[in-house]
Amino acid sequence: MINKDQLLERLDAIGQSLSKTEQTLLLLGLGSVGTELNRLDAYSDLDFFVITKPGFKDRFINDLDWLNHVCPLSYQFRNADVGWKIMFEDGIYGEFAVFEESELDHIPCHGGRIVWCEPGYVPQIATLDQPVSSNRPDSLDFPLNEAVTNLYVGLCRYARGEKMSARTFIESYAMGQVIATLHLHKAELPFDLDPYSNDRRVESRFPDFSVHLSEMLQGYDKIPQSALHILAYIESIYPVNTKLSQEIKSLALHLGATLL
C-alpha cells in the first residue's frame, strides 16, 4: 500500500525532473493530487498534465527518461496520442498527458494544482478556473424513461441467451440513469462530486440509496431479479408506463425471477 505522502513527494520529484530539462513550463496535479487533496488516500494515483514549451511536446511523450530519472518505470502503456498510463517500480501508479499551452483552451483543467512552474512563467490557461459542468439532468423524464427501456431491452437480450449484453443494459445503462437522477429526489451529503462520473462516491453521497445497490446489482446469473428491483425503485419515484412495467415484470418472471 502506498503512503499518500509518497504520492505527493513523487509528484514534486517529477516537477524537479522537468525543471532540469529547460523545455517545460508547468506540471499540473489533477484529481486527488490537484486541488482536492482532501480526497487523497493510500488508494489514490498520480493524475497530471505536463505543459511544454512550443515544439517540445513530442519529446516528452516519446521519451520517458524524465520519469525514469525519478524512479524506474516497471510498466508503461501509451493509451492516447498525448499520454501514458504508468507504474513505477515501487508500485506508484499514474496517468498523464503532455500538451503545449495553446492546446489547453478546450481541455478541462478545473481542479488543477500547480505542482511546479518555470520561474517567471505566468500560466494562461482559461480552463484552470472554469468549473466543468456536471452531467446531471434537471428532470426525471428522460433518464428514467431511458432506464425502463434499458430494462426491457436487457431482458430480451437475456431471453436470447445474451446474458453479458443483458447485464450491461440493466446493471450498467439502466442503473447509470437512475444514479444520475438521485440529486433530484434524495438528500445529497457533502462529498466531492466527480463531474465526469455520477457513480463516484455514490455510497458516501447518497447512503440511503446505496443500501439498495446489492439488490439492484445481483450479477450475471440474476439479471432478471436485478431488473425487478431497479424497476421497483423507479416506480417508487416516477409514474412508469403501465404497459411497459407489466411487460418487464412478465418477462422477468418468465426468465426465473421472483416477484418482489
Side-chain angles (χ1 to χ4, degrees):
M1 188 178 298
I2 304 299
N3 184 296
K4 61 183 182 181
D5 291 334
Q6 290 177 269
L7 295 172
L8 296 177
E9 290 168 3
R10 179 59 46 81
L11 202 55
D12 287 339
I14 292 171
Q16 289 305 306
S17 177
L18 291 171
S19 72
K20 296 173 184 178
T21 69
E22 299 184 353
Q23 298 167 340
T24 54
L25 295 171
L26 187 68
L27 175 64
L28 279 181
L30 304 167
S32 59
V33 293
T35 58
E36 298 178 5
L37 287 172
N38 60 298
R39 292 199 293 106
L40 184 65
D41 61 25
Y43 303 101
S44 296
D45 51 44
L46 299 181
D47 290 308
F48 58 93
F49 284 171
V50 174
I51 315 304
T52 73
K53 294 179 179 178
F56 290 103
K57 179 179 76 171
D58 289 344
R59 175 261 184 270
F60 289 89
I61 295 173
N62 296 329
D63 187 349
L64 303 186
D65 60 335
W66 51 281
L67 288 172
N68 278 297
H69 289 162
V70 175
C71 181
L73 294 172
S74 59
Y75 173 80
Q76 54 195 64
F77 161 56
R78 187 166 179 175
N79 67 311
D81 291 342
V82 295
W84 296 76
K85 297 183 177 184
I86 58 172
M87 180 172 282
F88 293 98
E89 272 190 359
D90 59 3
I92 290 179
Y93 175 79
E95 301 182 9
F96 71 90
V98 183
F99 302 100
E100 293 183 11
E101 186 181 63
S102 60
E103 297 178 287
L104 294 178
D105 290 345
H106 305 292
I107 297 174
C109 295
H110 179 66
R113 178 177 65 89
I114 297 176
V115 178
W116 168 82
C117 181
E118 181 184 60
Y121 170 66
V122 179
Q124 301 294 320
I125 304 173
T127 57
L128 191 59
D129 299 314
Q130 179 180 327
V132 180
S133 59
S134 59
N135 182 27
R136 308 219 294 183
D138 55 12
S139 168
L140 296 176
D141 293 337
F142 179 87
L144 295 187
N145 277 291
E146 183 70 17
V148 292
T149 58
N150 291 154
L151 295 179
Y152 179 76
V153 172
L155 288 173
C156 288
R157 299 280 175 93
Y158 191 93
R160 294 191 191 99
E162 300 177 44
K163 294 170 70 173
M164 186 65 207
S165 179
R167 193 206 65 80
T168 300
F169 267 81
I170 291 168
E171 295 193 348
S172 181
Y173 298 161
M175 273 301 297
Q177 296 293 349
V178 171
I179 289 171
T181 69
L182 292 178
H183 65 289
L184 297 175
H185 54 87
K186 287 283 188 184
E188 185 171 12
L189 297 185
F191 285 84
D192 295 306
L193 173 68
D194 187 329
Y196 304 103
S197 179
N198 288 313
D199 59 2
R200 291 292 306 274
R201 297 177 282 280
V202 68
E203 295 87 354
S204 300
R205 291 164 41 225
F206 300 102
D208 292 343
F209 170 78
S210 65
V211 298
H212 302 291
L213 288 174
S214 60
E215 298 172 338
M216 298 179 182
L217 303 171
Q218 297 193 32
Y220 181 79
D221 291 317
K222 295 185 178 180
I223 296 298
Q225 202 67 29
S226 296
L228 287 181
H229 278 280
I230 295 171
L231 177 63
Y233 184 82
I234 294 173
E235 289 186 320
S236 73
I237 60 173
Y238 187 78
V240 175
N241 176 269
T242 301
K243 176 61 175 175
L244 188 52
S245 174
Q246 290 172 344
E247 291 295 326
I248 291 170
K249 291 173 183 175
S250 176
L251 191 50
L253 291 174
H254 174 70
L255 295 171
T258 304
L259 275 181
L260 307 184

Coordinates of all heavy atoms in Angstrom, one line a residue, residues 14-50:
I14 N 8.9 14.7 -9.8 CA 8.6 14.8 -11.2 C 8.8 16.2 -11.7 O 9.4 16.5 -12.7 CB 7.3 14.2 -11.6 CG1 7.2 12.7 -11.4 CG2 6.9 14.5 -13.1 CD1 5.9 12.1 -11.5
G15 N 8.2 17.1 -10.9 CA 8.4 18.5 -11.2 C 9.9 19.0 -11.2 O 10.3 19.7 -12.1
Q16 N 10.6 18.5 -10.3 CA 12.1 18.8 -10.2 C 12.8 18.2 -11.4 O 13.7 18.9 -12.0 CB 12.7 18.3 -8.9 CG 12.2 19.1 -7.7 CD 12.5 20.6 -7.8 OE1 13.6 21.0 -8.1 NE2 11.5 21.4 -7.7
S17 N 12.4 17.0 -11.9 CA 13.0 16.4 -13.0 C 12.7 17.2 -14.3 O 13.6 17.5 -15.1 CB 12.5 15.0 -13.2 OG 13.0 14.4 -14.4
L18 N 11.5 17.7 -14.4 CA 11.1 18.5 -15.6 C 11.8 19.9 -15.6 O 12.2 20.4 -16.6 CB 9.6 18.8 -15.5 CG 8.7 17.6 -15.8 CD1 7.2 18.0 -15.5 CD2 8.8 17.1 -17.3
S19 N 12.1 20.4 -14.4 CA 12.8 21.7 -14.3 C 14.2 21.7 -14.8 O 14.7 22.7 -15.3 CB 12.8 22.2 -12.8 OG 13.7 21.4 -12.1
K20 N 14.8 20.5 -14.8 CA 16.1 20.3 -15.3 C 16.2 20.3 -16.8 O 17.3 20.4 -17.4 CB 16.8 19.1 -14.7 CG 16.9 19.2 -13.2 CD 17.4 17.9 -12.6 CE 17.4 17.9 -11.0 NZ 17.8 16.6 -10.4
T21 N 15.1 20.1 -17.5 CA 15.2 19.9 -19.0 C 15.2 21.3 -19.7 O 15.6 21.3 -20.8 CB 13.9 19.2 -19.5 OG1 12.7 20.0 -19.3 CG2 13.8 17.8 -18.7
E22 N 14.7 22.3 -19.0 CA 14.6 23.7 -19.6 C 13.7 23.7 -20.8 O 13.8 24.6 -21.7 CB 16.0 24.2 -19.9 CG 16.9 24.4 -18.7 CD 18.2 25.0 -19.0 OE1 18.5 25.2 -20.2 OE2 19.0 25.3 -18.1
Q23 N 12.8 22.7 -21.0 CA 11.9 22.6 -22.1 C 10.5 22.6 -21.7 O 9.6 22.4 -22.6 CB 12.3 21.4 -23.0 CG 13.7 21.4 -23.5 CD 14.1 20.1 -24.1 OE1 13.6 19.1 -23.8 NE2 15.1 20.1 -25.0
T24 N 10.2 22.7 -20.4 CA 8.8 22.6 -19.9 C 8.5 23.9 -19.2 O 9.3 24.6 -18.7 CB 8.7 21.4 -19.0 OG1 9.7 21.4 -18.0 CG2 8.8 20.1 -19.8
L25 N 7.2 24.1 -19.0 CA 6.7 25.3 -18.4 C 5.9 25.0 -17.1 O 6.0 25.8 -16.1 CB 5.7 26.0 -19.3 CG 6.3 26.6 -20.6 CD1 5.1 27.1 -21.5 CD2 7.2 27.7 -20.2
L26 N 5.3 23.8 -17.0 CA 4.3 23.7 -15.9 C 4.0 22.2 -15.7 O 4.0 21.4 -16.6 CB 3.0 24.4 -16.3 CG 1.9 24.5 -15.3 CD1 2.3 25.4 -14.2 CD2 0.6 25.1 -16.0
L27 N 3.8 21.8 -14.4 CA 3.3 20.5 -14.0 C 2.0 20.7 -13.2 O 2.1 21.4 -12.2 CB 4.3 19.7 -13.2 CG 3.9 18.4 -12.7 CD1 3.5 17.4 -13.8 CD2 4.9 17.8 -11.7
L28 N 0.9 20.2 -13.7 CA -0.4 20.3 -13.0 C -0.8 19.0 -12.4 O -0.9 18.0 -13.1 CB -1.5 20.7 -14.0 CG -1.6 22.2 -14.4 CD1 -2.8 22.3 -15.4 CD2 -1.8 23.1 -13.2
G29 N -1.0 19.0 -11.1 CA -1.6 17.8 -10.5 C -3.1 17.9 -10.6 O -3.7 19.0 -10.5
L30 N -3.8 16.8 -10.9 CA -5.2 16.7 -11.1 C -5.9 15.8 -10.2 O -5.3 14.9 -9.6 CB -5.5 16.4 -12.6 CG -4.9 17.2 -13.7 CD1 -5.0 16.5 -15.0 CD2 -5.6 18.6 -13.7
G31 N -7.2 15.9 -10.0 CA -8.0 15.0 -9.2 C -7.5 15.1 -7.7 O -7.4 16.2 -7.2
S32 N -7.3 13.9 -7.1 CA -6.9 13.9 -5.7 C -5.5 14.4 -5.4 O -5.1 14.6 -4.3 CB -7.1 12.5 -5.1 OG -6.3 11.6 -5.8
V33 N -4.7 14.6 -6.5 CA -3.4 15.3 -6.3 C -3.4 16.7 -6.9 O -2.4 17.3 -7.0 CB -2.2 14.5 -6.9 CG1 -2.0 13.2 -6.1 CG2 -2.4 14.2 -8.4
G34 N -4.7 17.1 -7.2 CA -4.9 18.5 -7.6 C -5.3 19.3 -6.4 O -4.8 19.2 -5.3
T35 N -6.4 20.1 -6.6 CA -6.8 21.0 -5.5 C -7.7 20.2 -4.5 O -8.0 20.7 -3.4 CB -7.6 22.2 -6.1 OG1 -8.7 21.7 -6.8 CG2 -6.8 23.1 -6.9
E36 N -8.1 19.0 -4.9 CA -8.9 18.1 -4.0 C -8.1 17.2 -3.1 O -8.3 16.0 -3.0 CB -9.9 17.3 -4.8 CG -10.9 18.2 -5.6 CD -11.9 17.4 -6.4 OE1 -11.8 16.1 -6.4 OE2 -12.6 18.0 -7.2
L37 N -7.0 17.8 -2.5 CA -6.1 17.0 -1.7 C -6.8 16.3 -0.5 O -6.3 15.3 0.0 CB -5.0 17.9 -1.2 CG -3.9 18.3 -2.2 CD1 -3.0 19.3 -1.7 CD2 -3.2 17.1 -2.8
N38 N -8.0 16.8 -0.1 CA -8.7 16.2 1.0 C -9.2 14.8 0.6 O -9.4 14.0 1.5 CB -10.0 17.0 1.3 CG -10.9 17.2 0.1 OD1 -10.5 17.7 -0.9 ND2 -12.1 16.7 0.2
R39 N -9.2 14.4 -0.7 CA -9.6 13.1 -1.1 C -8.4 12.1 -1.2 O -8.6 10.9 -1.4 CB -10.3 13.1 -2.5 CG -11.6 13.8 -2.5 CD -12.4 13.4 -3.7 NE -11.9 13.9 -5.0 CZ -11.2 13.1 -5.8 NH1 -11.0 11.8 -5.6 NH2 -10.8 13.6 -7.0
L40 N -7.2 12.6 -1.1 CA -6.0 11.8 -1.3 C -5.9 10.7 -0.2 O -6.1 11.0 1.0 CB -4.8 12.7 -1.2 CG -3.4 12.0 -1.5 CD1 -3.4 11.5 -2.9 CD2 -2.3 13.0 -1.2
D41 N -5.7 9.5 -0.6 CA -5.5 8.4 0.4 C -4.6 7.4 -0.2 O -4.0 7.6 -1.3 CB -6.9 7.8 0.8 CG -7.6 7.2 -0.4 OD1 -7.0 6.8 -1.4 OD2 -8.9 7.0 -0.3
A42 N -4.4 6.3 0.5 CA -3.5 5.2 0.1 C -3.9 4.5 -1.2 O -3.0 3.8 -1.8 CB -3.3 4.2 1.2
Y43 N -5.1 4.8 -1.7 CA -5.5 4.1 -3.0 C -5.6 5.1 -4.1 O -6.1 4.8 -5.2 CB -6.9 3.5 -2.7 CG -6.9 2.5 -1.6 CD1 -7.3 2.8 -0.3 CD2 -6.3 1.2 -1.8 CE1 -7.3 1.9 0.7 CE2 -6.2 0.3 -0.8 CZ -6.7 0.6 0.5 OH -6.7 -0.3 1.5
S44 N -5.1 6.3 -3.9 CA -5.1 7.3 -5.0 C -3.9 7.0 -5.9 O -3.0 6.2 -5.7 CB -4.9 8.7 -4.4 OG -6.0 9.1 -3.6
D45 N -3.9 7.7 -7.1 CA -2.8 7.6 -8.0 C -2.4 9.0 -8.5 O -3.0 9.9 -8.0 CB -3.2 6.6 -9.2 CG -4.5 7.0 -9.9 OD1 -4.7 8.2 -10.1 OD2 -5.3 6.1 -10.2
L46 N -1.5 9.0 -9.4 CA -1.0 10.3 -9.9 C -1.7 10.6 -11.2 O -1.4 9.9 -12.2 CB 0.5 10.3 -10.0 CG 1.4 10.0 -8.8 CD1 2.8 10.0 -9.2 CD2 1.1 11.0 -7.7
D47 N -2.5 11.7 -11.2 CA -3.0 12.2 -12.5 C -2.4 13.6 -12.7 O -2.5 14.4 -11.8 CB -4.5 12.3 -12.4 CG -5.2 11.0 -12.4 OD1 -4.9 10.2 -13.3 OD2 -6.0 10.7 -11.5
F48 N -1.8 13.8 -13.9 CA -1.1 15.1 -14.1 C -1.0 15.4 -15.5 O -1.1 14.5 -16.4 CB 0.3 15.1 -13.4 CG 1.2 14.0 -13.8 CD1 2.2 14.3 -14.9 CD2 1.3 12.8 -13.2 CE1 3.1 13.4 -15.3 CE2 2.2 11.8 -13.6 CZ 3.1 12.1 -14.7
F49 N -0.8 16.7 -15.8 CA -0.6 17.2 -17.1 C 0.8 17.9 -17.1 O 1.2 18.6 -16.1 CB -1.6 18.3 -17.5 CG -2.9 17.8 -17.9 CD1 -4.0 18.8 -18.1 CD2 -3.2 16.5 -18.1 CE1 -5.2 18.4 -18.5 CE2 -4.5 16.1 -18.5 CZ -5.5 17.0 -18.7
V50 N 1.6 17.7 -18.1 CA 2.8 18.4 -18.3 C 2.6 19.4 -19.5 O 2.1 19.0 -20.6 CB 4.0 17.4 -18.7 CG1 5.2 18.2 -19.1 CG2 4.2 16.4 -17.6

